[in-house]
Amino acid sequence: MMTFDHFRIKLLQPNEGEAFFSLIDSNRVRLEDFFAGTVSKTLTLEDTMNYCIEIEQRIKDKSYLPYMITDLATNAFVGLVDVKNID
């Protein structure tokens, strides 16, 4: 986890599925070009919760690391940084 100014960056946790869905859903059209895989796997809250379980395993395998950016003033997710295809 890293904190700077009024933001925190940390790995997505399995229990953050609802907030993750909200972030993607409210920005879906804009994110489709940059996060096509994530957008396609988070069409519903149920899809997102299942995707978070998949992500949890990928984090353990160190094959995919989704970092969420949180605004500390509102405690809301405001961004996503994917680290993937790690060789």
Side-chain angles (χ1 to χ4, degrees), residues 31-60:
L31 294 175
E32 285 176 338
D33 290 339
F34 306 102
F35 296 96
T38 299
V39 169
S40 70
K41 293 181 179 188
T42 58
L43 297 175
T44 66
L45 178 56
E46 183 178 358
D47 291 342
T48 305
M49 300 306 280
N50 290 330
Y51 185 49
C52 285
I53 293 168
E54 177 187 328
I55 287 172
E56 185 177 23
Q57 184 57 51
R58 293 176 69 191
I59 290 170
K60 288 177 185 174

